[in-house]
Amino acid sequence: DAGITQSPRYKITETGRQVTLMCHQTWSHSYMFWYRQDLGHGLRLIYYSAAADITDKGEVPDGYVVSRSKTENFPLTLESATRSQTSVYFCASSPEETQYFGPGTRLLVL
Amino acid sequence: RKEVEQDPGPFNVPEGATVAFNCTYSNSASQSFFWYRQDCRKEPKLLMSVYSSGNEDGRFTAQLNRVSQYISLLIRDSKLSDSATYLCVVGSYNTDKLIFGTGTRLQVFP
């Protein structure tokens, strides 16, 4: 009965390192999304996926990479972390319009 | 201009009060509308969808005005547990993406 989970929940890394944030959902929802949430900006879409092997850019995709080899997983990779990527990252999944969010990952880039 | 705009608040109201939030959206092609609730340091959760005819869920009433392009949320008989940030969310026709407002913060005091 996990629904949608994210790991790690907290991460501290250094500038230039590669970081992967994991997202896993048990509902078999077709759509999955990655957002970042920062003060003053609200939730901004990074990448989304309509199905396995189908991904598309959102509003702020630069510096991020995603993949979706299986319906249930949608990892987000920061190829070379920068301080501006310090944020709270939320994954969401959706069967159609309503989106259900994971608990978030708080990332600090030093 | 932001696609979805909300008054950030905070709205500080006593228990039992009625409080209303408004939200405006810029894309006239928007077709789906929601209110999400987000507690401090938690993920957003769907509060209710918003329909053209208006809809009610217990103490919560949502209204949509397509002509003026705004959405409202009315909370009656406020409870301490209603303290949260309320996110206005808009989706466009035939897209899988939702646009989130930055949220309106509500604080209910005893």
Side-chain angles (χ1 to χ4, degrees):
Chain A
D1 190 39
I4 182 165
T5 57
Q6 293 184 235
S7 62
R9 295 293 312 280
Y10 302 90
K11 176 75 177 177
I12 300 175
T13 190
E14 295 177 335
T15 301
R17 292 194 181 262
Q18 183 179 83
V19 177
T20 296
L21 310 184
M22 304 301 292
C23 178
H24 175 80
Q25 52 114 348
T26 60
W27 294 307
S28 298
H29 288 166
S30 296
Y31 294 100
M32 295 188 76
F33 306 82
W34 273 107
Y35 294 90
R36 59 177 291 173
Q37 188 173 35
D38 306 286
L39 279 174
H41 288 282
L43 284 158
R44 290 184 291 174
L45 182 64
I46 304 171
Y47 269 97
Y48 68 107
S49 168
D53 298 321
I54 300 174
T55 62
D56 211 344
K57 295 179 180 179
E59 181 186 354
V60 289
D62 293 343
Y64 303 95
V65 174
V66 293
S67 62
R68 192 156 177 220
S69 56
K70 293 183 178 181
T71 299
E72 60 266 31
N73 296 323
F74 190 38
L76 175 74
T77 298
L78 288 66
E79 296 182 291
S80 177
T82 64
R83 290 182 182 172
S84 65
Q85 292 177 310
T86 290
S87 187
V88 181
Y89 290 86
F90 288 104
C91 177
S93 71
S94 172
E96 33 188 57
E97 286 185 330
T98 303
Q99 294 184 15
Y100 300 90
F101 286 80
T105 295
R106 295 183 178 276
L107 176 68
L108 174 62
V109 182
L110 299 175
Chain B
R1 182 186 173 189
K2 291 183 180 179
E3 289 191 64
V4 178
E5 295 206 62
Q6 297 181 249
D7 180 343
F11 285 64
N12 296 306
V13 302
E15 274 187 290
T18 296
V19 62
F21 309 135
N22 287 331
C23 158
T24 58
Y25 61 95
S26 60
N27 187 348
S28 59
S30 299
Q31 293 290 321
S32 55
F33 308 90
F34 309 90
W35 283 101
Y36 275 70
R37 170 195 168 126
Q38 186 172 25
D39 293 289
C40 188
R41 303 178 73 84
K42 296 286 184 71
E43 73 272 23
K45 293 183 179 178
L46 178 68
L47 179 66
M48 58 196 303
S49 301
V50 186
Y51 304 114
S52 296
S53 56
N55 48 299
E56 191 174 304
D57 183 2
R59 298 181 293 108
F60 299 84
T61 301
Q63 297 277 354
L64 168 64
N65 184 318
R66 287 187 182 272
V67 172
S68 302
Q69 293 182 205
Y70 79 80
I71 307 153
S72 64
L73 177 67
L74 182 77
I75 305 175
R76 290 181 300 278
D77 189 23
S78 298
K79 312 290 185 192
L80 294 175
S81 58
D82 293 334
S83 297
T85 296
Y86 291 83
L87 306 176
C88 176
V89 185
V90 173
S92 292
Y93 175 73
N94 208 28
T95 74
D96 317 311
K97 295 181 284 188
L98 299 177
I99 307 298
F100 287 78
T102 53
T104 297
R105 189 171 162 214
L106 171 66
Q107 184 67 49
V108 181
F109 58 87

